[in-house]
Structures are given as structure tokens and as C-alpha cells.
Amino acid sequence: MELWQELLRQSIDTAEDFAEVFGVDKDLMRKIIERYPARINPYYLSLIRYKGDPIWLQCFPDIKELEDEAMPEDPLDEDAMSPVPSITHRYPDRVLFLVTSQCSMYCRFCTRKRKVGDSSKINMKFIQDGIEYIRNHPEVRDVILSGGDPLMLTDYMLEKIIKALREIPHVEIIRIGTKMPCVLPQRITENLCNMLKKYHPIYVNTHFNHPWEITPESKRACEMLADAGIPVGNQTVLLRGVNDDPYVMQELMKKLLAIRVRPYYIYQADITRGANHFRTPIKVGIEIMDKLRGHISGLAVPYYVIDAPGGGGKIPILPQYVIAHNENEIIVRNFKYEIYVYPDVKEDEIEEIRYEPKPTAEKRKIIERKKWLVE
């Protein structure tokens, strides 16, 4: 048994565990966990500094999860876009492929709270059906493995799935969406990296939400993936009480770059039943973006997006940099709120640019002779 599997076995995941470790009401914990499974592995537990801190809020069951029954269970309409149970096909050329329902730590804000932790939601038949669906749809060139967390699978099982996808000629890109580098970095092993290297191009998107999650262990995990030739991106969720502060986000984004992880998205938290208490006003996200662009390296600035309810896809939200725009000029402001006027160009004023082939040696001699005659 590998270290990460041993740590998983030591996780807190029952009402009795929570009552014993934290001294909380066992019946209350049972009430929450029966609806939304909980698991905190020893590594992620060690990152908690005090009750109610940004790490605690992400992993500790809260009675608020049972208080927003009016919210939708499936806000992104994933189930309606699932031709087979393991596939969500929302965009033309790519699919989300759910290969497990299990996670090493159950985030309390998860948009798939209706599915995670329930082993009946994903099984081997569903996985095989997903591979067959991808094989029969040549427009699919990009497959994102998700779940649950795909790295909850053993190396052997994960390789079986990736190998089957690589044998489909039209699948060009394989992505893995995993929180393991953040919540259980011991899962990133030399064996795993060596296996993944055989199936390039492989991309990993991981999920850090707070600077405290960047530790020597998570740094090592992300750098191992990068050393294996696997680009690593990060998808942060904007969460009330966790990272809804521009300077916390600045620190997080800078620290991610330092461990060779490229910030990719900041998500507005989805309107999900059991997670509505994490949502922030959209103006908070816009203010955060305003304090990132120009204030830190452009490499560290992600897109702020809303995943549109009803399956509309990701929509970028930007601060307002354009103050006015007419046919002659555009008035803009920069990150310091300094105002600039930039002259625009009218379509009918643009001269047609014609392609001039490279002159032959003979033509170059004639040109040079003309220059000499003029001089």
C-alpha cells in the first residue's frame, strides 16, 4: 500500500470521527453527512490553523448545507447534457468524462454534491460506455477526466482509461481535473508521473483556493508533474470567507506561479444546493480582478468566469476599462485609473496591404542600380 492510500484510510469520514476529533454534536454531523458525504484526510487536516479558518470552511460540514433547499442540485444542467451517465457533452469538440465519484477530501462547496461520494453514480460499465461514446463521436478531440477525483483511481486503472482514449485517433488532448496536488499531494508519485509521460499531450488542472494550501508537499507534487512535461493550471473558486479578498488572491496567484502552476480560472461559485452560503456578490470578483491586472505579473492573472446556469458554458467577466468609444477614438483607463485617449482607425481609411513576393536576385540588382542612379 502506498503512502497516499494509507493516509486515505486514516481519514475522518463518519459522524463518530468528527465528534471524537472535534468535540462536535454527533447527531448533527450524522444529519449532514447522510446528505452530503464528508472526508478530511490527515494531510489536509494538518493545514487547519483554527476553527473557522479558510481551510476549515472548505472541508468541515456545516448545518448551512441543509438550509438552502430552494437551490438547484444540478445548476449547470450536466445531467441533461449526458448522453451516457459518465459523459457531459456541452462544448462542440470536448467532453467531460466522469471516471469516479470518490474524492480524498469532499469540498463543502462542490457543484457536484449530488454525485460525489455515491459509488452507484459511477461504475465500470459507465466508464466503458463513456469510452465508446467518445470513440463514436469524431468531433471530440479533447477529453477532460473528472469525477470525483480521477487520481483516486489506482495507477493501473487510470492507465487503462488513458490508454483506451489514446487509441482513439481523433482524441488529441487528454486533461485531468484533480485536486490531489492541493489536498493530498502524496498521491503524485514517480510511478504516476512516469505512467502519464507515456501518453502526452497530457494536461492537469488542479484546484488551490488559498495561499495556506501551498506547502512544501504541494510544491513538490506540482513540480513533479511539471518535470514530467505536464502543464499544470489552476482553477480557483471564489468563496465567501476563504478568498474573497483581493490581497489573498494576489498572494495565491503569485505563489502558484512560483511552484510552476499557471492560474487559469477564478470561478464565481455556482448556485448549488448545499453550497449557496459560499457565494459572493459578482462585484467582489470584479474588484479582485481589478486588483490583479497590472498589479501582478500577467502570467499570474486568470480569467474570472461565471459558469452560466442551465449549461450555457463559461462566460468571462471583466472590470470596465473602456470609458467611451466613438468612430474616432477610444477612451480607456489603466490599472492606476489613469485616463488615456487612443485614436481609432476607420475601416475605409485602412489601406489594403498587398503581398509582395521576395524579389529575385536579378530584380534586386535592378533595384540597387536605380538607387545608385538616383543618388
Side-chain angles (χ1 to χ4, degrees):
M1 182 177 292
E2 297 191 59
L3 173 60
W4 69 274
Q5 293 170 314
E6 181 58 37
L7 288 170
L8 268 179
R9 288 184 60 185
Q10 298 171 19
S11 296
I12 297 168
D13 57 9
T14 67
E16 290 73 20
D17 290 340
F18 279 94
E20 180 181 344
V21 174
F22 295 102
V24 292
D25 183 86
K26 181 168 63 176
D27 292 334
L28 177 62
M29 288 294 106
R30 183 176 292 112
K31 189 176 180 181
I32 302 168
I33 292 171
E34 283 177 355
R35 180 71 180 275
Y36 300 120
R39 176 182 286 150
I40 312 175
N41 68 67
Y43 168 78
Y44 200 72
L45 181 66
S46 74
L47 303 186
I48 296 174
R49 301 186 184 185
Y50 55 85
K51 181 179 178 180
D53 76 12
I55 307 299
W56 171 290
L57 291 175
Q58 293 184 70
C59 64
F60 198 86
D62 191 316
I63 192 61
K64 292 176 184 175
E65 296 176 42
L66 305 180
E67 294 174 353
D68 57 359
E69 289 299 304
M71 297 298 109
E73 278 196 324
D74 182 15
L76 306 181
D77 256 8
E78 288 184 332
D79 292 346
M81 298 178 181
S82 294
V84 297
S86 59
I87 295 289
T88 297
H89 195 166
R90 176 185 298 156
Y91 298 101
D93 70 338
R94 54 203 182 277
V95 297
L96 191 72
F97 187 9
L98 307 181
V99 296
T100 179
S101 63
Q102 302 299 304
C103 295
S104 67
M105 189 279 283
Y106 290 115
C107 301
R108 309 321 298 169
F109 53 87
C110 181
T111 196
R112 287 194 201 114
K113 287 180 78 112
R114 70 193 186 280
K115 283 188 173 183
V116 293
D118 184 349
S119 56
S120 70
K121 299 291 186 182
I122 302 291
N123 58 40
M124 281 307 302
K125 182 183 184 308
F126 292 169
I127 292 173
Q128 190 57 46
D129 289 346
I131 291 169
E132 288 302 314
Y133 178 85
I134 294 165
R135 182 178 289 116
N136 293 329
H137 285 76
E139 72 274 20
V140 175
R141 54 178 291 275
D142 184 351
V143 177
I144 302 115
L145 301 183
S146 187
D149 194 313
L151 295 192
M152 285 291 285
L153 300 175
T154 63
D155 292 355
Y156 173 78
M157 188 62 212
L158 185 64
E159 183 167 17
K160 279 190 70 174
I161 295 170
I162 293 174
K163 186 173 186 291
L165 292 173
R166 267 286 160 255
E167 290 171 351
I168 300 174
H170 54 265
V171 173
E172 299 172 12
I173 296 167
I174 297 172
R175 290 190 266 173
I176 300 173
T178 174
K179 194 156 178 162
M180 288 294 198
C182 172
V183 296
L184 190 60
Q186 293 80 3
R187 175 64 185 98
I188 311 304
T189 63
E190 186 176 341
N191 287 340
L192 174 68
C193 292
N194 287 337
M195 181 273 285
L196 293 175
K197 280 165 63 174
K198 296 189 291 184
Y199 300 100
H200 278 313
I202 296 276
Y203 293 79
V204 163
N205 278 329
T206 190
H207 182 178
F208 288 84
N209 286 326
H210 193 275
W212 294 356
E213 294 171 329
I214 298 178
T215 65
E217 292 87 354
S218 62
K219 177 178 185 288
R220 178 177 178 273
C222 292
E223 290 179 344
M224 285 178 69
L225 291 168
D227 286 344
I230 300 168
V232 185
N234 189 71
Q235 301 183 158
T236 294
V237 179
L238 179 57
L239 300 168
R240 184 187 297 272
V242 174
N243 55 19
D244 53 339
D245 177 282
Y247 301 103
V248 170
M249 282 292 197
Q250 280 188 12
E251 183 183 359
L252 173 62
M253 300 306 156
K254 290 189 288 187
K255 285 190 170 182
L256 285 169
L257 272 194
I259 63 170
R260 297 161 69 185
V261 175
R262 175 71 189 273
Y264 183 32
Y265 285 135
I266 294 176
Y267 281 98
Q268 176 72 9
D270 291 328
I271 309 169
T272 304
R273 186 178 303 172
N276 198 50
H277 55 289
F278 283 106
R279 295 180 65 227
T280 62
I282 290 168
K283 67 178 183 181
V284 172
I286 293 173
E287 180 189 354
I288 286 170
M289 293 306 297
D290 208 28
K291 293 295 189 295
L292 295 181
R293 176 71 62 186
H295 295 272
I296 61 176
S297 166
L299 280 173
V301 179
Y303 294 99
Y304 172 44
V305 296
I306 292 174
D307 220 338
K314 301 174 188 69
I315 300 169
I317 306 295
L318 296 171
Q320 186 56 260
Y321 295 105
V322 177
I323 296 169
H325 189 194
N326 58 41
E327 63 177 7
N328 297 313
E329 61 191 17
I330 186 169
I331 302 173
V332 295
R333 60 94 173 172
N334 70 359
F335 70 102
K336 296 179 182 177
Y337 288 85
E338 298 166 337
I339 307 300
Y340 296 88
V341 177
Y342 186 87
D344 206 349
V345 180
K346 295 180 183 178
E347 284 291 331
D348 57 4
E349 292 178 349
I350 301 175
E351 293 183 3
E352 185 180 355
I353 299 174
R354 299 185 180 276
Y355 171 68
E356 289 289 345
K358 189 175 180 180
T360 62
E362 184 177 351
K363 191 171 182 180
R364 281 200 299 270
K365 288 179 182 177
I366 294 170
I367 291 169
E368 290 301 320
R369 187 175 179 199
K370 285 181 178 179
K371 284 182 181 177
W372 178 78
L373 288 171
V374 169
E375 290 172 356

